[in-house]
Amino acid sequence: MRFVKKKVYLVISLVFLCVVYSHAQVSNEWNTVKMGGGGFVSAVIGAPAEKNLFYARTDVGGAYRWEENTQKWIPLLDWVSESEKSLLGVESLAIDPQSPNKLYISAGLSGYGWGGASILRSDDYGETFEKIPVDFYIHGNGMGRQTGERLAVDPNDGNIVFCGTRKNGLWKSTNSGENWSRITSFPITSTPNLNAVCFVLFDKNTGSSATPTQTIYAGSSKEGDNMFVSKNGGETWNVIPNAPTINEIKPQRAVLSSNGNLLYVTYANGAGPHAQTWDGVNDPMDKGAVYKFTVSTGIWENISPINLLDGSIWGCYGGLSIDPNNGQKVVCSTINHWGQQQIYTDGSSAWGDRIYVTEDGGKNWKNLFSGSNPMKLDKNGISWISGHNLHWVGSVVLDPFNDKRLFASSGNGIFMTENLSTTETSIMKFCVDGLEETVPLDMVSIPDGPFVSVVGDYDGWIHEDVAQFPTGKRHEPNMGTTTGIAYSPQNKQVLVRAGSSAAVLYYSTDTGKSWKFFNGVPDVFKNGKVAVSTSGNTNIVAWVPEDSSNKMYITTNWGVTWQNIWNNSYASLKGAHPYADPMDPTLFYVYSPSGGKVYKCFFPVHGGNAEVTLLGDIGSGGSPNLAVNTHLSADFWVAVGSAGLKYYQNNSWSSVNNINATAVTLGKEASGTNYPTLYVWGTEGDTNGLFGSTDKGVSWQRINDEAHEYGGLGNAGMILGDNTVFGRVYMSSAGRGIPYVDSENLITSVSQPLNKQNQPFDYFPSPFSEEFTINTYKNFSYSVYSISGALIEKGNLRTGEKLGANWQNGIFVIRLNDGVNNYHFKIIRQGK
């Protein structure tokens, strides 16, 4: 585990504000639900001077480092806070060739307005970072995000770093990224597709140790002149003569032979990765080529494996890699091209992109997916990927130390082979353990049952064990982006999900093992949120479609008939989420985030009119995701931002105002208690994060830390307490899958006099004003935490030990450990 502290200091010169991140140990265990990939990995890069060192970047899910011993990817940016979530959009990576421990990341999602862009730099392989805010436009999820790398370190002088930008030209740093200045001589500032400078490439041969490299190449995603070279370290730039421009093709990636004489470039007639543009300019991405430029002769040669220029075959070229020990061995990939079948080792197949290898500089190419010994794909223990295509292959990377190993990034993760061959069958494994890049949109924890998720693009999964990859496939039938999931509290085998396909709604009566279409859906709505309850043999489904302000549909016959129970006199339901009462199947609850009102919806199972009753006006701007007590009727919580929590019980409302609540959930109750554990994502004092309470919000303990913030709650804006495992809570994210924590330190007892017959210690006085005494009847170690989870002190106890003399006023949590058991109590210091 890593703990992140932030320290701010000022840098003289251009005076960029820098934040330093360092680490210490924390005790709560964080993981992500193991789904396996699921999102677009924009690129993989390898270190030229250190074996087995690879990094991957994603469009909205941060960056990762490869761990060779475990064959896993290690996330590097989980420390990103909610206010910094833009940094999860990683646009480019660069390793210092002379010092492989030094990593640079250009990060930002400027196109979404999610906050500023930054250069992140590390000198310990990404364990810690300095954040250097910059003024140029960075968009890790923008068009052309698979091109690159536009961030590059001079191989002869590690102080020099170049950064190509989307609409601010080319920039240079001479002090390892600390300060930046724009190179005004570079001829391109911006392009219509906002991908102005898509790669920077150094020719190491034109410099020497500590002497800056003189020849530098750069490409631009624009029509016409788009390949440039500098012969004086970037001071001036010229167009490379006769570079190809046929059919408006634009460079994607480039590699250079180790002697500097052969420059290979992949081309497409759009920025990519798919056939549409960011700004509406009509340049669909459906043509491309691979060219070789011989520097000594100035000759360009089209060496494309197949002709994708004349429009007869649809697609482009993207990924490109070269063997540093053999300038004639090159690997390239298509992108957005659909070729003949790719075969998995289990016999499933799909159409997708091609990967080609040449060992003679492009005279002859081998399509790895065809011939007498075609490459086969291996799902590698991740069942859902079987039969899915290797597509949007924006980067391929040969291992600089082993030309038999190749990484390929794709729209659903990373594939890797360790037996690359042009004559024998290669096996390319789906290699995403540790890399989770889905966008969760809803989830449920069924008591004593599975965890069920729905996500963008890939439907979602059923997990019997969230620490293992699901044994089954995605929810089938597939509908891609799925937005809502619910189970019936009266019959936990009944599930309903909503999404974006033509069918929109599906139901299951076997806990998701199989799914059926609803018989019909009303109007033309889709997506949204659902709830379901069961009365006898009747299942009542409530559906609030997306983008609907006055529709809550009810059906009791799986969509044969529907009734809209909402009307314009009620508050808007836009963005609302209905919930079923756990005990009374005729009742549903819904909160209007824009109107601030909470309603009870009664729907008689056997005929009669539905009734909608206003339960309260609690304020607008809250979370639509209610925390419903699964053990009681009409008992739930609503998070209302700065207004804290609103609690409905016994037909009345109460408030908890000691925390700002962005999201709320309930989870498994603690041993010895009779009410579910309450969790909140929000702010206590000046600390933002995840908090837990076993006393209905009287006191809070922070569960996460600055190493585990994941950019906040992302699209779904929700947290979810596990209904089976005490202390486990899940959170949504903007692209890091579903993080979850097992909060072993969540305090389960209250501060009160203890019975010596049951506890081997006692303490007094409580509250205390100066110090208090602990009498013990065996040996203990102790730890003291602030109520926000920070460790105050620790040590070993003697009987009669006095503590608290140097503490500030407040609530403290004491943990005692006798080598076998943990004991906890809370104590208050006041009156200092």
Side-chain angles (χ1 to χ4, degrees):
M1 293 293 169
R2 301 195 302 268
F3 183 68
V4 181
K5 289 185 177 180
K6 303 178 183 178
K7 180 174 67 177
V8 179
Y9 65 91
L10 290 177
V11 176
I12 308 301
S13 185
L14 294 186
V15 198
F16 284 105
L17 185 66
C18 298
V19 182
V20 177
Y21 298 87
S22 59
H23 302 143
Q25 295 296 312
V26 295
S27 49
N28 289 335
E29 182 179 355
W30 279 90
N31 290 287
T32 48
V33 174
K34 294 192 75 167
M35 295 175 281
F40 184 32
V41 178
S42 310
V44 177
I45 67 168
E50 182 170 325
K51 288 184 178 180
N52 303 320
L53 180 58
F54 299 90
Y55 295 94
R57 59 179 171 92
T58 67
D59 48 12
V60 294
Y64 296 79
R65 186 185 67 245
W66 175 251
E67 187 174 73
E68 181 72 12
N69 290 339
T70 61
Q71 301 280 286
K72 293 182 179 180
W73 294 96
I74 307 301
L76 303 180
L77 301 184
D78 288 351
W79 52 264
V80 169
S81 69
E82 191 166 19
S83 64
E84 299 168 313
K85 64 183 177 181
S86 179
L87 301 182
L88 293 177
V90 177
E91 186 172 82
S92 191
L93 301 168
I95 303 168
D96 186 335
Q98 292 183 310
S99 302
N101 57 302
K102 294 183 179 180
L103 172 69
Y104 295 85
I105 296 176
S106 63
L109 289 165
S110 300
Y112 293 163
W114 281 5
S118 293
I119 301 296
L120 308 178
R121 65 179 184 181
S122 171
D123 60 6
D124 55 10
Y125 299 95
E127 286 295 307
T128 62
F129 284 95
E130 294 176 58
K131 187 180 81 169
I132 304 171
V134 292
D135 291 332
F136 38 81
Y137 183 98
I138 296 174
H139 191 17
N141 200 33
M143 297 299 290
R145 55 195 180 274
Q146 82 294 339
T147 60
E149 293 297 310
R150 65 190 85 213
L151 190 63
V153 182
D154 190 322
N156 292 299
D157 186 345
N159 293 313
I160 295 176
V161 188
F162 278 71
C163 185
T165 73
R166 292 177 172 274
K167 66 174 187 178
N168 306 105
L170 181 62
W171 291 66
K172 179 181 179 181
S173 171
T174 58
N175 54 4
S176 302
E178 192 165 298
N179 307 113
W180 294 86
S181 58
R182 190 168 76 86
I183 300 176
T184 57
S185 63
F186 191 77
I188 304 299
T189 301
S190 185
T191 55
N193 58 20
L194 295 184
N195 202 41
V197 185
C198 59
F199 69 77
V200 178
L201 184 63
F202 289 92
D203 179 2
K204 183 180 179 180
N205 301 284
T206 61
S208 59
S209 180
T211 301
T213 302
Q214 295 303 295
T215 298
I216 310 169
Y217 298 94
S220 174
S221 285
K222 66 177 290 290
E223 296 178 11
D225 293 334
N226 50 37
M227 285 291 298
F228 306 93
V229 63
S230 173
K231 297 290 187 178
N232 53 11
E235 291 297 316
T236 60
W237 293 83
N238 294 297
V239 174
I240 300 178
N242 304 315
T245 59
I246 183 174
N247 288 334
E248 295 80 40
I249 58 174
K250 307 166 180 65
Q252 304 287 298
R253 287 184 165 270
V255 294
L256 193 64
S257 61
S258 58
N259 64 8
N261 191 43
L262 298 177
L263 178 70
Y264 297 89
V265 186
T266 50
Y267 283 89
N269 67 324
H274 43 79
Q276 65 185 49
T277 58
W278 194 253
D279 57 22
V281 177
N282 184 24
D283 61 345
M285 187 179 174
D286 58 6
K287 297 181 178 68
V290 182
Y291 274 83
K292 178 172 69 175
F293 175 61
T294 303
V295 177
S296 59
T297 64
I299 295 175
W300 286 89
E301 181 183 359
N302 186 340
I303 59 169
S304 302
I306 56 174
N307 183 5
L308 296 178
L309 272 178
D310 61 8
S312 60
I313 303 176
W314 198 79
C316 327
Y317 290 94
L320 188 64
S321 187
I322 191 169
D323 183 349
N325 301 308
N326 179 3
Q328 301 295 311
K329 184 172 184 177
V330 177
V331 180
C332 74
S333 67
T334 63
I335 185 168
N336 214 40
H337 164 74
W338 305 97
Q340 69 269 23
Q341 288 184 327
Q342 301 165 339
I343 308 296
Y344 280 79
T345 54
D346 65 3
S348 61
S349 62
W351 287 59
D353 277 319
R354 306 292 96 191
I355 299 176
Y356 296 93
V357 179
T358 180
E359 295 179 333
D360 56 14
K363 294 183 178 68
N364 298 283
W365 292 90
K366 164 65 175 176
N367 178 355
L368 294 179
F369 292 107
S370 69
S372 58
N373 297 292
M375 173 182 281
K376 291 189 176 181
L377 302 178
D378 185 346
K379 61 185 181 182
N380 199 21
I382 303 174
S383 298
W384 74 265
I385 195 63
S386 178
H388 286 74
N389 48 34
L390 177 61
H391 72 288
W392 286 4
V393 185
S395 76
V396 288
V397 177
L398 280 168
D399 187 331
F401 297 90
N402 176 10
D403 67 351
K404 298 295 184 183
R405 176 151 70 170
L406 177 76
F407 289 89
S409 65
S410 76
N412 44 33
I414 296 172
F415 288 77
M416 185 265 281
T417 181
E418 293 184 291
N419 65 333
L420 180 67
S421 174
T422 58
T423 58
E424 299 177 357
T425 297
S426 302
I427 302 298
M428 179 167 266
K429 296 180 179 180
F430 191 48
C431 199
V432 293
D433 198 356
L435 194 157
E436 300 291 347
E437 210 226 337
T438 49
V439 177
L441 298 176
D442 205 357
M443 56 188 109
V444 292
S445 171
I446 301 176
D448 298 314
F451 173 83
V452 187
S453 62
V454 292
V455 303
D457 296 331
Y458 283 96
D459 294 283
W461 293 270
I462 293 177
H463 277 83
E464 298 294 338
D465 182 352
V466 296
Q468 302 294 325
F469 292 116
T471 56
K473 296 182 178 180
R474 315 157 38 183
H475 300 314
E476 290 185 329
N478 304 145
M479 58 176 159
T481 294
T482 305
T483 58
I485 184 72
Y487 72 92
S488 169
Q490 297 83 22
N491 182 357
K492 298 175 182 62
Q493 291 185 318
V494 174
L495 301 176
V496 176
R497 61 187 173 105
S500 60
S501 76
V504 179
L505 294 171
Y506 295 81
Y507 70 95
S508 173
T509 57
D510 55 10
T511 324
K513 294 181 179 65
S514 62
W515 295 88
K516 298 178 182 178
F517 298 112
F518 272 56
N519 290 288
V521 294
D523 298 330
V524 294
F525 296 108
K526 62 181 181 178
N527 293 326
K529 303 296 183 181
V530 288
V532 58
S533 63
T534 303
S535 176
N537 294 322
T538 302
N539 293 287
I540 310 168
V541 177
W543 176 40
V544 176
E546 182 182 71
D547 297 329
S548 173
S549 61
N550 60 352
K551 305 288 184 183
M552 180 189 286
Y553 291 107
I554 300 286
T555 181
T556 58
N557 48 26
W558 300 124
V560 174
T561 58
W562 291 88
Q563 178 183 346
N564 177 26
I565 67 172
W566 218 249
N567 65 52
N568 291 330
S569 67
Y570 307 141
S572 170
L573 283 182
K574 188 174 178 63
H577 191 319
Y579 286 84
D581 187 280
M583 302 299 169
D584 188 340
T586 67
L587 296 181
F588 295 85
Y589 306 99
V590 66
Y591 164 67
S592 166
S594 60
K597 294 179 171 59
V598 180
Y599 295 90
K600 177 175 70 175
C601 306
F602 167 70
F603 190 85
V605 177
H606 303 294
N609 295 321
E611 299 176 5
V612 177
T613 304
L614 177 65
L615 292 186
D617 187 346
I618 63 172
S620 61
S623 168
N625 303 305
L626 309 184
V628 178
N629 186 350
T630 60
H631 305 301
L632 296 174
S633 182
D635 187 288
F636 58 86
W637 299 74
V638 189
V640 201
S642 60
L645 293 170
K646 302 297 181 181
Y647 177 38
Y648 186 78
Q649 183 189 41
N650 297 326
N651 298 313
S652 64
W653 290 94
S654 58
S655 298
V656 173
N657 299 316
N658 58 2
I659 194 166
N660 291 355
T662 302
V664 62
T665 187
L666 292 169
K668 175 73 174 177
E669 67 276 6
S671 176
T673 65
N674 58 7
Y675 194 83
T677 307
L678 183 65
Y679 301 98
V680 164
W681 182 274
T683 305
E684 187 201 33
D686 59 357
T687 301
N688 179 258
L690 180 64
F691 297 85
S693 174
T694 57
D695 53 18
K696 289 188 177 182
V698 173
S699 60
W700 297 97
Q701 182 181 355
R702 190 181 184 193
I703 296 173
N704 75 321
D705 53 65
E706 292 184 17
H708 301 94
E709 300 194 57
Y710 301 99
L713 300 183
N715 304 49
M718 69 179 297
I719 55 176
L720 179 74
D722 193 292
N723 282 316
T724 304
V725 180
F726 167 70
R728 179 174 292 175
V729 59
Y730 309 87
M731 60 182 283
S732 56
S733 73
R736 266 289 282 128
I738 301 174
Y740 71 95
V741 62
D742 287 316
S743 46
E744 62 184 40
N745 287 331
L746 189 61
I747 305 308
T748 62
S749 62
V750 296
S751 179
Q752 58 187 6
L754 297 173
N755 185 336
K756 294 181 183 179
Q757 293 179 346
N758 297 325
Q759 299 281 12
F761 62 90
D762 64 4
Y763 58 96
F764 58 89
S766 178
F768 71 97
S769 59
E770 294 184 0
E771 58 187 12
F772 70 99
T773 301
I774 299 182
N775 286 328
T776 63
Y777 306 100
K778 60 169 67 176
N779 294 325
F780 284 102
S781 63
Y782 77 95
S783 303
V784 181
Y785 299 89
S786 71
I787 198 62
S788 62
L791 180 65
I792 302 300
E793 67 180 57
K794 62 181 180 179
N796 296 312
L797 283 178
R798 299 168 297 178
T799 190
E801 188 89 32
K802 296 183 182 296
L803 298 175
N806 297 318
W807 303 353
Q808 299 297 314
N809 286 346
I811 303 173
F812 297 88
V813 177
I814 317 298
R815 165 188 271 189
L816 303 182
N817 181 271
D818 62 6
V820 177
N821 298 308
N822 288 320
Y823 302 88
H824 300 92
F825 64 91
K826 298 178 186 176
I827 196 164
I828 300 172
R829 176 166 187 165
Q830 61 186 25
K832 182 178 179 180

